[in-house]
C-alpha cells in the first residue's frame, strides 16, 4: 500500500472513510499496474527508497482513490461505462471512455499527472 489513511485524509481534506485501507490497497494496485515499466530503487519489501518517489506514489494513490469515488465508487471498472443499459431487448447508450485495451489501467488523470511529474511515466523497458 503506497499511502496511509492519514495521507488520504490530508489529500482530500476529509476524514478517511472507514474502508480507507481497502480503497488505498486497490488504488495502490492501480498505481502499481500503471508503473509496470517504471524503474526506481526499492527496498526488500518492494517499496521505493527515494523519498520523492515514495511521496509521488502516495499522492498518486490518494488521487486514484478520489478518482474512483468520483466514478461512483466502483473500483471494479465495470460501472460508469454506459449512461443507460437495458437487457431485453438489448439497449445500450452513451458509451464513456475507459481503458482502450483489456489489460489497460483505468487510472485517474491527476494520478497519471503525478506519476509523470515524478518522472515515473512513461516507463521504458531496456
Amino acid at each position: 500500500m503506497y499511502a496511509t489513511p492519514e495521507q488520504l485524509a490530508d489529500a482530500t481534506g476529509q476524514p478517511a472513510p472507514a474502508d480507507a485501507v481497502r480503497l488505498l490497497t486497490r488504488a495502490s494496485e492501480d498505481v502499481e499496474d500503471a508503473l509496470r515499466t517504471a524503474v526506481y530503487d526499492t527496498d526488500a519489501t518492494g517499496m521505493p527508497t527515494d523519498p520523492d518517489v515514495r511521496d509521488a506514489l502516495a499522492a498518486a494513490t490518494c488521487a486514484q482513490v478520489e478518482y474512483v469515488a468520483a466514478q461512483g465508487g466502483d473500483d471494479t471498472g465495470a460501472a460508469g461505462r454506459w449512461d443507460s443499459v437495458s437487457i431485453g431487448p438489448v439497449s445500450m447508450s452513451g458509451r464513456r471512455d475507459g481503458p482502450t485495451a483489456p489489460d489497460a489501467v483505468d487510472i485517474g488523470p491527476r494520478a497519471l499527472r503525478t506519476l509523470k511529474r515524478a518522472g515515473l511515466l512513461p516507463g521504458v523497458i531496456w
Side-chain angles (χ1 to χ4, degrees):
M1 201 166 67
Y2 292 125
T4 65
E6 293 78 18
Q7 289 170 310
L8 179 60
D10 288 345
T12 63
Q14 303 291 323
D19 61 345
V21 170
R22 181 187 69 81
L23 296 172
L24 290 165
T25 298
R26 295 229 174 128
S28 293
E29 291 169 356
D30 290 344
V31 168
E32 189 168 295
D33 286 346
L35 294 175
R36 213 172 288 170
T37 59
V39 177
Y40 53 91
D41 293 329
T42 61
D43 62 19
T45 66
M47 294 303 288
T49 56
D50 183 315
D52 292 335
V53 172
R54 200 168 35 245
D55 290 346
L57 295 185
T61 299
C62 292
Q64 183 67 8
V65 169
E66 288 183 293
Y67 174 73
V68 169
Q71 299 298 312
D74 176 17
D75 57 4
T76 67
R81 296 285 172 237
W82 299 91
D83 289 332
S84 175
V85 175
S86 299
I87 296 299
V90 182
S91 168
M92 298 187 258
S93 68
R95 174 97 172 128
R96 297 183 185 166
D97 289 338
T100 55
D103 64 343
V105 179
D106 186 13
I107 191 147
R110 189 164 3 110
L112 189 62
R113 288 190 307 270
T114 299
L115 297 172
K116 284 183 179 180
R117 276 193 311 272
L120 297 168
L121 294 178
V124 177
I125 298 175
W126 298 97

